Amino acid sequence: MKTPCVAKCKNHEGICSGCFRTMTEITGWRLMNDEKQTKTIDEIKGKRSTHTCSSCGKPAYCDISAGKSSCWCFELAKRDTSGIESPDCLCRECLTKLPLREV
Ligand SMILES: [Zn+2]
């Protein structure tokens, strides 16, 4: 089975700080077919992208931009994006690193 897991999985407020899969993707991984796994890995690695991350400039993938009604980032605990001016989403790596939004 394909997996992007790098054997240092750690739940970082809704996303793994090792392989950058959301908790839903990790728990549902074994139930995904090969095609879906490949797609998800490509989205994480930036092989499939909808735009570039406004923070690091690497390819990023937004499900909304791709025409879906929800995005992987909705599952995460809300990050503090107040310092980011661009309306574009960040890549998984940059979003994971942001501090949580204060409530
Ligand atoms: Zn980035």
Coordinates of all heavy atoms in Angstrom, one line a residue:
M1 N 0.8 -1.2 0.0 CA 0.0 0.0 0.0 C 0.9 1.3 0.0 O 1.9 1.3 0.7 CB -0.9 0.0 1.2 CG -1.9 1.1 1.3 SD -3.0 1.0 2.7 CE -1.9 1.6 4.0
K2 N 0.5 2.2 -0.8 CA 1.2 3.5 -0.8 C 0.9 4.2 0.5 O -0.2 4.2 1.0 CB 0.7 4.4 -1.9 CG 1.0 3.9 -3.3 CD 0.7 5.1 -4.3 CE 0.8 4.6 -5.7 NZ -0.3 3.8 -6.1
T3 N 1.9 4.9 1.0 CA 1.6 5.8 2.1 C 2.7 6.9 2.1 O 3.8 6.6 1.9 CB 1.5 5.1 3.4 OG1 1.4 6.0 4.5 CG2 2.8 4.2 3.6
P4 N 2.2 8.1 2.4 CA 3.2 9.2 2.5 C 3.8 9.3 4.0 O 4.6 10.2 4.3 CB 2.4 10.5 2.2 CG 1.0 10.1 2.7 CD 0.9 8.6 2.5
C5 N 3.4 8.3 4.8 CA 3.8 8.4 6.2 C 5.4 8.3 6.3 O 6.0 7.5 5.6 CB 3.2 7.2 7.0 SG 3.6 7.2 8.7
V6 N 5.9 9.2 7.1 CA 7.4 9.2 7.3 C 7.8 8.7 8.7 O 8.8 8.9 9.2 CB 7.9 10.6 7.1 CG1 7.9 11.0 5.6 CG2 7.2 11.6 7.9
A7 N 6.8 7.9 9.3 CA 7.1 7.3 10.6 C 7.4 8.2 11.7 O 8.0 7.9 12.6 CB 8.2 6.2 10.4
K8 N 6.9 9.5 11.5 CA 7.0 10.4 12.7 C 5.6 11.1 12.8 O 5.6 12.3 13.0 CB 8.2 11.3 12.6 CG 8.3 12.1 11.3 CD 9.4 13.1 11.3 CE 9.4 13.9 10.0 NZ 10.5 14.9 10.0
C9 N 4.6 10.4 12.6 CA 3.2 11.0 12.6 C 3.0 11.6 14.0 O 3.2 11.0 15.0 CB 2.2 9.9 12.3 SG 2.0 9.7 10.5
K10 N 2.5 12.8 13.9 CA 2.1 13.5 15.2 C 0.9 14.4 14.8 O 1.0 15.1 13.9 CB 3.3 14.3 15.6 CG 3.1 14.9 17.0 CD 4.5 15.5 17.5 CE 4.4 16.0 18.9 NZ 3.5 17.1 19.0
N11 N -0.1 14.2 15.6 CA -1.3 15.0 15.4 C -1.0 16.5 15.8 O -0.8 16.7 17.0 CB -2.5 14.5 16.1 CG -3.7 15.3 15.9 OD1 -3.7 16.3 15.2 ND2 -4.9 14.8 16.4
H12 N -0.9 17.3 14.8 CA -0.6 18.7 15.1 C -1.8 19.6 14.9 O -2.0 20.2 13.8 CB 0.6 19.2 14.2 CG 1.2 20.5 14.6 ND1 2.0 20.6 15.7 CD2 1.1 21.7 14.1 CE1 2.4 21.9 15.8 NE2 1.9 22.5 14.9
E13 N -2.8 19.5 15.8 CA -4.0 20.3 15.8 C -4.8 20.0 14.5 O -5.2 20.8 13.8 CB -3.8 21.8 15.8 CG -2.9 22.2 17.0 CD -3.5 22.0 18.4 OE1 -4.7 21.7 18.4 OE2 -2.8 22.0 19.4
G14 N -4.9 18.7 14.2 CA -5.7 18.3 13.0 C -5.0 17.8 11.8 O -5.6 17.3 10.9
I15 N -3.7 18.1 11.8 CA -2.9 17.6 10.6 C -1.6 17.0 11.1 O -1.1 17.4 12.2 CB -2.6 18.8 9.7 CG1 -2.1 18.3 8.3 CG2 -1.8 19.9 10.3 CD1 -2.1 19.4 7.2
C16 N -1.1 16.0 10.4 CA 0.1 15.3 10.8 C 1.3 16.2 10.5 O 1.4 16.6 9.3 CB 0.2 14.0 10.2 SG 1.8 13.2 10.5
S17 N 2.2 16.5 11.4 CA 3.3 17.3 11.2 C 4.4 16.6 10.5 O 5.4 17.1 10.1 CB 3.8 18.0 12.5 OG 4.1 17.0 13.4
G18 N 4.2 15.3 10.3 CA 5.2 14.5 9.6 C 4.9 14.3 8.1 O 5.7 14.6 7.2
C19 N 3.7 13.9 7.8 CA 3.3 13.6 6.4 C 2.3 14.6 5.9 O 1.9 14.5 4.7 CB 2.8 12.2 6.3 SG 1.3 11.8 7.3
F20 N 1.8 15.5 6.7 CA 0.9 16.5 6.3 C -0.5 16.0 5.8 O -1.1 16.6 5.0 CB 1.5 17.5 5.3 CG 2.7 18.1 5.9 CD1 4.0 17.8 5.4 CD2 2.6 19.0 6.9 CE1 5.1 18.4 6.0 CE2 3.7 19.6 7.5 CZ 5.0 19.3 7.0
R21 N -0.9 14.8 6.3 CA -2.2 14.4 6.0 C -3.1 14.8 7.2 O -2.7 14.9 8.3 CB -2.3 12.8 5.9 CG -1.8 12.3 4.6 CD -1.8 10.8 4.6 NE -1.0 10.2 5.7 CZ -1.0 8.9 6.0 NH1 -1.8 8.1 5.4 NH2 -0.2 8.5 7.0
T22 N -4.4 15.1 6.8 CA -5.3 15.4 7.9 C -5.7 14.1 8.7 O -5.4 13.0 8.2 CB -6.6 16.0 7.3 OG1 -7.3 15.0 6.5 CG2 -6.3 17.3 6.5
M23 N -6.2 14.3 9.8 CA -6.6 13.1 10.6 C -7.6 12.2 9.9 O -7.5 11.0 9.9 CB -7.1 13.5 12.0 CG -6.1 14.1 12.9 SD -4.6 13.1 13.2 CE -3.3 14.1 12.4
T24 N -8.5 12.9 9.1 CA -9.5 12.1 8.4 C -8.8 11.3 7.3 O -9.1 10.1 7.0 CB -10.5 13.1 7.7 OG1 -11.1 13.9 8.7 CG2 -11.6 12.3 7.0
E25 N -7.8 11.9 6.6 CA -7.1 11.2 5.6 C -6.3 10.0 6.2 O -6.2 9.0 5.6 CB -6.1 12.1 4.9 CG -6.9 13.1 3.9 CD -6.1 14.3 3.4 OE1 -4.9 14.5 3.9 OE2 -6.5 15.0 2.5
I26 N -5.7 10.2 7.4 CA -4.9 9.2 8.0 C -5.9 8.0 8.4 O -5.6 6.8 8.1 CB -4.1 9.7 9.2 CG1 -3.0 10.6 8.7 CG2 -3.6 8.5 10.0 CD1 -2.2 11.3 9.8
T27 N -6.9 8.3 9.1 CA -7.8 7.3 9.6 C -8.6 6.6 8.4 O -8.9 5.4 8.5 CB -8.9 7.8 10.6 OG1 -9.5 8.9 10.0 CG2 -8.2 8.2 11.9
G28 N -8.8 7.3 7.3 CA -9.5 6.7 6.2 C -8.6 6.2 5.2 O -9.1 5.7 4.1
W29 N -7.3 6.3 5.4 CA -6.3 5.9 4.4 C -6.5 4.5 3.8 O -6.5 4.3 2.6 CB -4.9 6.1 4.9 CG -3.9 6.2 3.8 CD1 -3.0 5.2 3.4 CD2 -3.6 7.3 2.9 NE1 -2.3 5.6 2.4 CE2 -2.6 6.9 2.0 CE3 -4.2 8.6 2.8 CZ2 -2.1 7.7 1.0 CZ3 -3.7 9.4 1.8 CH2 -2.7 9.0 0.9
R30 N -6.7 3.5 4.7 CA -6.7 2.2 4.3 C -8.0 1.9 3.4 O -8.1 0.9 2.7 CB -6.7 1.2 5.5 CG -5.3 1.1 6.1 CD -5.4 0.1 7.3 NE -6.4 0.5 8.3 CZ -7.4 -0.3 8.7 NH1 -7.4 -1.5 8.2 NH2 -8.2 0.1 9.6
L31 N -9.0 2.8 3.6 CA -10.2 2.6 2.8 C -10.2 3.3 1.5 O -11.1 3.1 0.6 CB -11.4 3.1 3.6 CG -11.6 2.5 5.0 CD1 -12.6 3.3 5.8 CD2 -11.9 1.0 5.0
M32 N -9.2 4.1 1.2 CA -9.1 4.7 -0.1 C -8.6 3.8 -1.1 O -7.8 2.9 -0.8 CB -8.1 5.9 0.0 CG -8.5 7.1 0.8 SD -7.2 8.3 0.6 CE -7.7 9.5 1.8
N33 N -9.1 3.9 -2.3 CA -8.5 3.1 -3.4 C -7.2 3.7 -3.9 O -6.8 4.8 -3.5 CB -9.5 2.9 -4.6 CG -9.9 4.2 -5.2 OD1 -9.1 5.2 -5.2 ND2 -11.1 4.3 -5.8
D34 N -6.5 2.9 -4.7 CA -5.2 3.3 -5.1 C -5.1 4.7 -5.8 O -4.3 5.5 -5.6 CB -4.7 2.2 -6.1 CG -3.2 2.1 -6.1 OD1 -2.6 1.9 -5.0 OD2 -2.6 2.3 -7.2
E35 N -6.2 4.9 -6.6 CA -6.2 6.2 -7.3 C -6.3 7.4 -6.4 O -5.7 8.4 -6.5 CB -7.4 6.1 -8.3 CG -7.5 7.3 -9.2 CD -8.8 7.3 -10.0 OE1 -9.6 6.3 -9.9 OE2 -9.1 8.4 -10.6
K36 N -7.2 7.2 -5.4 CA -7.4 8.3 -4.4 C -6.2 8.5 -3.6 O -5.8 9.6 -3.3 CB -8.6 7.9 -3.5 CG -8.9 8.9 -2.5 CD -9.9 10.0 -3.0 CE -10.4 10.9 -1.8 NZ -9.5 12.1 -1.6
Q37 N -5.5 7.4 -3.2 CA -4.2 7.6 -2.5 C -3.2 8.3 -3.3 O -2.5 9.2 -2.8 CB -3.7 6.2 -2.1 CG -4.6 5.5 -1.0 CD -4.0 4.1 -0.7 OE1 -3.2 3.6 -1.4 NE2 -4.6 3.6 0.4
T38 N -3.1 7.9 -4.5 CA -2.1 8.6 -5.4 C -2.4 10.1 -5.5 O -1.5 10.9 -5.5 CB -2.1 7.9 -6.8 OG1 -1.8 6.5 -6.6 CG2 -1.0 8.5 -7.7
K39 N -3.7 10.4 -5.8 CA -4.1 11.8 -5.9 C -3.8 12.6 -4.6 O -3.3 13.7 -4.7 CB -5.6 11.9 -6.1 CG -6.0 11.8 -7.6 CD -7.5 12.1 -7.7 CE -8.0 11.9 -9.1 NZ -9.5 12.0 -9.1
T40 N -4.1 12.0 -3.5 CA -3.9 12.7 -2.2 C -2.4 12.9 -2.0 O -2.0 14.0 -1.6 CB -4.5 11.9 -1.1 OG1 -5.8 11.6 -1.3 CG2 -4.4 12.7 0.2
I41 N -1.6 11.9 -2.3 CA -0.1 12.1 -2.1 C 0.4 13.2 -3.1 O 1.2 14.0 -2.7 CB 0.6 10.7 -2.4 CG1 0.3 9.8 -1.3 CG2 2.1 11.0 -2.5 CD1 0.8 8.3 -1.6
D42 N -0.1 13.2 -4.3 CA 0.3 14.2 -5.3 C -0.1 15.6 -4.8 O 0.6 16.6 -5.0 CB -0.3 13.9 -6.7 CG 0.4 12.8 -7.4 OD1 1.4 12.3 -6.8 OD2 -0.1 12.3 -8.4
E43 N -1.3 15.7 -4.2 CA -1.7 17.0 -3.7 C -0.8 17.5 -2.5 O -0.5 18.6 -2.4 CB -3.2 16.9 -3.2 CG -4.1 16.8 -4.3 CD -5.5 16.3 -3.9 OE1 -5.8 16.3 -2.7 OE2 -6.3 15.9 -4.8
I44 N -0.4 16.5 -1.7 CA 0.4 16.9 -0.5 C 1.8 17.3 -1.0 O 2.4 18.2 -0.5 CB 0.5 15.7 0.5 CG1 -0.9 15.5 1.1 CG2 1.5 16.0 1.5 CD1 -1.0 14.2 1.9
K45 N 2.3 16.5 -2.0 CA 3.7 16.8 -2.5 C 3.7 17.9 -3.5 O 4.8 18.3 -3.9 CB 4.2 15.5 -3.2 CG 4.2 14.3 -2.3 CD 5.5 14.2 -1.4 CE 5.5 13.0 -0.6 NZ 6.3 13.0 0.6
G46 N 2.6 18.4 -3.9 CA 2.6 19.5 -4.9 C 2.7 19.1 -6.3 O 2.8 20.0 -7.2
K47 N 2.5 17.8 -6.6 CA 2.5 17.4 -8.0 C 1.2 17.8 -8.7 O 1.2 18.1 -9.9 CB 2.7 15.9 -8.1 CG 4.2 15.5 -8.1 CD 4.3 14.1 -8.8 CE 4.7 13.1 -7.8 NZ 4.7 11.7 -8.4
R48 N 0.1 17.8 -7.9 CA -1.1 18.4 -8.3 C -1.3 19.6 -7.5 O -1.3 19.6 -6.3 CB -2.3 17.4 -8.0 CG -2.6 16.4 -9.1 CD -3.3 15.2 -8.5 NE -4.6 15.6 -7.8 CZ -5.7 15.8 -8.4 NH1 -5.9 15.5 -9.7 NH2 -6.8 16.1 -7.8
S49 N -1.5 20.7 -8.2 CA -1.7 22.0 -7.5 C -2.6 22.9 -8.1 O -2.9 22.8 -9.4 CB -0.3 22.7 -7.3 OG 0.2 23.1 -8.6
T50 N -3.2 23.8 -7.4 CA -4.2 24.7 -7.9 C -3.6 26.1 -7.9 O -4.1 27.0 -8.6 CB -5.5 24.8 -7.1 OG1 -5.1 25.0 -5.7 CG2 -6.2 23.5 -7.2
H51 N -2.6 26.3 -7.1 CA -1.9 27.7 -7.0 C -0.6 27.5 -6.3 O -0.3 26.4 -5.9 CB -2.9 28.6 -6.2 CG -3.1 28.2 -4.8 ND1 -4.0 27.1 -4.5 CD2 -2.6 28.6 -3.6 CE1 -4.0 27.0 -3.2 NE2 -3.1 27.8 -2.6
T52 N 0.1 28.6 -6.1 CA 1.3 28.5 -5.3 C 1.1 29.1 -3.9 O 0.3 30.1 -3.7 CB 2.5 29.3 -6.0 OG1 2.0 30.6 -6.3 CG2 3.0 28.5 -7.2
C53 N 1.7 28.5 -3.0 CA 1.6 29.0 -1.6 C 2.1 30.4 -1.5 O 3.2 30.7 -2.0 CB 2.4 28.0 -0.7 SG 2.6 28.6 1.0
S54 N 1.4 31.3 -0.8 CA 1.8 32.7 -0.7 C 2.9 32.9 0.3 O 3.5 33.9 0.4 CB 0.6 33.6 -0.4 OG 0.0 33.1 0.8
S55 N 3.2 31.8 1.0 CA 4.3 32.0 2.0 C 5.6 31.4 1.5 O 6.6 32.1 1.6 CB 3.9 31.2 3.3 OG 4.9 31.3 4.3
C56 N 5.6 30.2 1.0 CA 6.9 29.6 0.5 C 7.0 29.6 -1.0 O 8.1 29.3 -1.5 CB 7.0 28.2 1.2 SG 5.9 27.0 0.5
G57 N 5.9 29.8 -1.7 CA 6.0 29.8 -3.1 C 6.0 28.5 -3.8 O 6.1 28.4 -5.0
K58 N 5.8 27.4 -3.0 CA 5.8 26.1 -3.5 C 4.3 25.8 -4.0 O 3.4 26.5 -3.6 CB 6.2 25.1 -2.5 CG 7.7 25.1 -2.2 CD 8.0 24.0 -1.2 CE 9.4 24.2 -0.6 NZ 9.5 23.5 0.7
P59 N 4.2 24.8 -4.9 CA 2.8 24.5 -5.3 C 1.9 24.0 -4.1 O 2.4 23.3 -3.2 CB 3.0 23.3 -6.3 CG 4.4 23.0 -6.3 CD 5.2 24.0 -5.5
A60 N 0.7 24.5 -4.1 CA -0.3 24.1 -3.1 C -1.6 23.7 -3.7 O -1.8 24.1 -4.9 CB -0.5 25.3 -2.1
Y61 N -2.3 23.0 -3.0 CA -3.6 22.4 -3.5 C -4.8 22.8 -2.7 O -4.8 22.6 -1.5 CB -3.5 20.9 -3.6 CG -4.7 20.3 -4.4 CD1 -4.6 20.2 -5.8 CD2 -5.8 19.9 -3.7 CE1 -5.7 19.6 -6.5 CE2 -6.9 19.4 -4.4 CZ -6.8 19.3 -5.8 OH -7.9 18.7 -6.5
C62 N -5.7 23.5 -3.3 CA -6.9 23.9 -2.5 C -8.1 23.2 -3.2 O -8.4 23.3 -4.4 CB -7.1 25.4 -2.6 SG -8.7 26.0 -2.0
D63 N -8.9 22.4 -2.4 CA -10.0 21.7 -2.9 C -11.1 22.6 -3.4 O -11.8 22.3 -4.3 CB -10.6 20.8 -1.7 CG -9.7 19.6 -1.4 OD1 -9.1 19.0 -2.3 OD2 -9.6 19.3 -0.2
I64 N -11.2 23.7 -2.8 CA -12.3 24.7 -3.2 C -11.9 25.2 -4.6 O -12.8 25.2 -5.5 CB -12.4 25.9 -2.2 CG1 -12.7 25.4 -0.8 CG2 -13.4 26.9 -2.7 CD1 -14.0 24.8 -0.6
S65 N -10.7 25.6 -4.8 CA -10.2 26.0 -6.1 C -10.4 24.9 -7.2 O -10.6 25.2 -8.4 CB -8.8 26.4 -6.1 OG -8.5 27.5 -5.2
A66 N -10.3 23.7 -6.7 CA -10.5 22.5 -7.6 C -12.0 22.2 -7.8 O -12.3 21.2 -8.5 CB -9.8 21.3 -7.0
G67 N -12.9 23.0 -7.2 CA -14.3 22.8 -7.5 C -15.0 22.0 -6.5 O -16.2 21.7 -6.6
K68 N -14.4 21.6 -5.4 CA -15.1 20.9 -4.3 C -15.8 21.8 -3.3 O -15.5 23.0 -3.3 CB -14.1 19.9 -3.6 CG -13.6 18.8 -4.5 CD -12.7 17.9 -3.7 CE -11.9 17.0 -4.7 NZ -10.7 16.5 -4.1
S69 N -16.7 21.3 -2.5 CA -17.4 22.1 -1.6 C -16.7 22.3 -0.3 O -17.1 23.1 0.5 CB -18.8 21.6 -1.4 OG -18.8 20.3 -1.0
S70 N -15.8 21.5 0.0 CA -15.0 21.6 1.3 C -13.6 21.4 1.0 O -13.2 20.9 0.0 CB -15.5 20.7 2.3 OG -15.2 19.4 2.0
C71 N -12.7 21.8 1.9 CA -11.3 21.7 1.7 C -10.6 21.0 2.9 O -11.2 21.0 4.0 CB -10.7 23.1 1.5 SG -8.9 23.0 1.2
W72 N -9.5 20.3 2.7 CA -8.8 19.6 3.7 C -8.5 20.6 4.9 O -8.5 20.1 6.0 CB -7.5 19.0 3.2 CG -6.6 20.1 2.5 CD1 -6.6 20.4 1.2 CD2 -5.6 20.9 3.2 NE1 -5.7 21.4 1.0 CE2 -5.1 21.7 2.1 CE3 -5.2 21.0 4.5 CZ2 -4.1 22.7 2.4 CZ3 -4.2 22.0 4.7 CH2 -3.7 22.8 3.7
C73 N -8.3 21.9 4.6 CA -7.9 22.8 5.7 C -9.1 23.0 6.6 O -8.9 23.5 7.8 CB -7.4 24.1 5.1 SG -8.6 25.1 4.2
F74 N -10.3 22.8 6.2 CA -11.5 23.0 7.1 C -11.4 22.0 8.4 O -12.0 22.3 9.4 CB -12.8 22.7 6.4 CG -13.1 23.6 5.3 CD1 -14.3 23.5 4.6 CD2 -12.3 24.7 5.0 CE1 -14.6 24.4 3.6 CE2 -12.6 25.6 4.0 CZ -13.8 25.5 3.3
E75 N -10.7 21.0 8.2 CA -10.6 20.0 9.3 C -9.6 20.4 10.4 O -9.6 19.9 11.5 CB -10.1 18.6 8.8 CG -11.2 18.0 8.0 CD -10.6 16.7 7.4 OE1 -9.7 16.1 8.1 OE2 -10.9 16.3 6.3
L76 N -8.7 21.3 10.1 CA -7.7 21.7 11.0 C -8.2 22.7 12.1 O -9.2 23.5 11.8 CB -6.6 22.4 10.3 CG -5.5 21.5 9.6 CD1 -6.1 20.5 8.7 CD2 -4.5 22.3 8.9
A77 N -7.6 22.7 13.2 CA -7.9 23.8 14.2 C -7.5 25.1 13.5 O -6.5 25.1 12.8 CB -7.1 23.5 15.5
K78 N -8.3 26.1 13.7 CA -8.0 27.4 12.9 C -6.7 28.0 13.3 O -6.3 28.1 14.4 CB -9.1 28.4 13.3 CG -10.4 28.1 12.6 CD -10.5 28.8 11.2 CE -11.7 28.5 10.4 NZ -11.8 27.1 9.9
R79 N -5.9 28.3 12.2 CA -4.6 28.9 12.4 C -4.8 30.4 12.4 O -5.7 30.9 11.8 CB -3.7 28.4 11.3 CG -3.3 26.9 11.2 CD -3.1 26.3 12.5 NE -2.3 25.1 12.5 CZ -2.7 23.9 12.8 NH1 -3.9 23.7 13.1 NH2 -1.8 22.9 12.7
D80 N -3.8 31.1 13.0 CA -3.8 32.5 12.9 C -3.2 33.0 11.6 O -1.9 32.9 11.5 CB -3.0 33.0 14.1 CG -3.0 34.6 14.1 OD1 -3.7 35.2 13.3 OD2 -2.3 35.1 15.0
T81 N -4.0 33.4 10.7 CA -3.5 33.8 9.4 C -3.5 35.3 9.3 O -3.5 35.9 8.2 CB -4.4 33.2 8.2 OG1 -5.7 33.5 8.5 CG2 -4.2 31.7 8.1
S82 N -3.6 36.0 10.4 CA -3.7 37.5 10.4 C -2.5 38.2 9.7 O -2.6 39.3 9.2 CB -4.0 38.0 11.8 OG -3.0 37.6 12.6
G83 N -1.4 37.5 9.8 CA -0.2 38.2 9.2 C 0.0 37.9 7.8 O 1.0 38.4 7.2
I84 N -0.9 37.2 7.2 CA -0.8 36.8 5.8 C -1.8 37.6 4.9 O -3.0 37.6 5.2 CB -1.0 35.3 5.6 CG1 0.1 34.6 6.3 CG2 -1.1 34.9 4.1 CD1 -0.2 33.2 6.8
E85 N -1.2 38.4 4.0 CA -2.1 39.3 3.2 C -2.7 38.6 2.0 O -3.8 39.0 1.6 CB -1.2 40.5 2.8 CG -0.9 41.4 3.9 CD 0.1 42.5 3.6 OE1 0.1 42.9 2.4 OE2 0.7 43.0 4.5
S86 N -2.1 37.7 1.5 CA -2.7 37.0 0.3 C -3.9 36.3 0.6 O -4.0 35.6 1.6 CB -1.6 36.1 -0.3 OG -2.3 35.3 -1.3
P87 N -4.9 36.4 -0.3 CA -6.2 35.6 -0.1 C -6.0 34.1 -0.4 O -6.8 33.3 -0.1 CB -7.1 36.3 -1.0 CG -6.3 36.8 -2.1 CD -5.0 37.2 -1.5
D88 N -4.9 33.8 -1.1 CA -4.7 32.4 -1.4 C -4.3 31.5 -0.2 O -3.8 32.0 0.8 CB -3.5 32.3 -2.4 CG -3.9 32.8 -3.8 OD1 -5.1 32.8 -4.1 OD2 -3.0 33.3 -4.5
C89 N -4.7 30.3 -0.3 CA -4.4 29.3 0.8 C -2.9 29.1 0.9 O -2.2 29.2 -0.1 CB -5.1 28.0 0.6 SG -6.8 28.1 0.2
L90 N -2.5 28.7 2.0 CA -1.1 28.2 2.2 C -1.0 26.8 1.9 O -2.0 26.1 1.8 CB -0.7 28.5 3.6 CG -0.6 29.9 4.1 CD1 -0.2 29.9 5.6 CD2 0.3 30.8 3.3
C91 N 0.2 26.3 1.6 CA 0.4 24.9 1.5 C 0.2 24.2 2.8 O 0.2 24.9 3.9 CB 1.8 24.6 0.9 SG 3.2 25.0 2.0
R92 N 0.2 22.9 2.8 CA -0.1 22.2 4.1 C 1.0 22.4 5.1 O 0.8 22.5 6.3 CB -0.2 20.7 3.8 CG -1.4 20.3 2.9 CD -1.6 18.8 2.9 NE -2.7 18.5 2.0 CZ -3.6 17.6 2.3 NH1 -3.6 16.9 3.4 NH2 -4.6 17.3 1.4
E93 N 2.3 22.5 4.6 CA 3.4 22.6 5.4 C 3.4 24.0 6.2 O 3.5 24.0 7.4 CB 4.7 22.5 4.6 CG 5.9 22.3 5.5 CD 7.1 21.9 4.7 OE1 7.0 21.4 3.5 OE2 8.2 22.1 5.2
C94 N 3.2 25.0 5.4 CA 3.1 26.4 6.0 C 2.0 26.5 7.0 O 2.1 27.1 8.0 CB 3.1 27.4 4.9 SG 4.6 27.6 4.0
L95 N 0.8 26.0 6.6 CA -0.4 26.2 7.4 C -0.2 25.4 8.7 O -0.6 25.9 9.8 CB -1.6 25.7 6.7 CG -3.0 26.0 7.3 CD1 -3.2 27.5 7.4 CD2 -4.1 25.4 6.6
T96 N 0.4 24.3 8.6 CA 0.6 23.5 9.9 C 1.5 24.2 10.8 O 1.3 24.1 12.1 CB 1.3 22.1 9.5 OG1 0.5 21.5 8.5 CG2 1.5 21.2 10.7
K97 N 2.5 25.0 10.3 CA 3.4 25.6 11.2 C 2.9 26.9 11.9 O 3.5 27.4 12.8 CB 4.7 26.0 10.4 CG 5.6 24.9 10.1 CD 6.8 25.3 9.2 CE 7.6 24.2 8.7 NZ 8.3 24.6 7.5
L98 N 1.8 27.4 11.3 CA 1.3 28.7 11.9 C 0.8 28.4 13.3 O 0.3 27.3 13.6 CB 0.1 29.2 11.1 CG 0.4 29.9 9.8 CD1 -0.9 30.3 9.1 CD2 1.3 31.1 10.0
P99 N 0.8 29.4 14.2 CA 0.3 29.3 15.5 C -1.3 29.2 15.5 O -1.8 29.7 14.5 CB 0.7 30.5 16.3 CG 1.0 31.5 15.2 CD 1.5 30.7 14.0
L100 N -1.9 28.6 16.4 CA -3.3 28.6 16.5 C -3.9 30.0 16.7 O -3.3 30.8 17.4 CB -3.8 27.6 17.6 CG -3.6 26.2 17.3 CD1 -4.2 25.4 18.5 CD2 -4.1 25.7 16.0
R101 N -5.1 30.2 16.1 CA -5.7 31.5 16.4 C -6.2 31.6 17.8 O -6.7 30.7 18.4 CB -6.9 31.6 15.4 CG -7.6 32.9 15.5 CD -8.9 32.9 14.6 NE -8.5 32.7 13.2 CZ -9.5 32.6 12.3 NH1 -10.8 32.6 12.6 NH2 -9.2 32.5 11.0
E102 N -6.0 32.7 18.4 CA -6.4 33.0 19.8 C -7.9 33.2 19.8 O -8.4 33.9 18.9 CB -5.7 34.2 20.3 CG -4.2 34.2 20.2 CD -3.5 34.0 21.5 OE1 -4.1 34.1 22.5 OE2 -2.2 33.8 21.5
V103 N -8.6 32.7 20.7 CA -10.0 32.9 20.8 C -10.4 33.8 22.0 O -9.7 33.9 22.9 CB -10.8 31.6 20.8 CG1 -11.1 31.2 19.4 CG2 -10.1 30.5 21.6
Ligands
ZN1 ZN 3.9 27.0 1.8

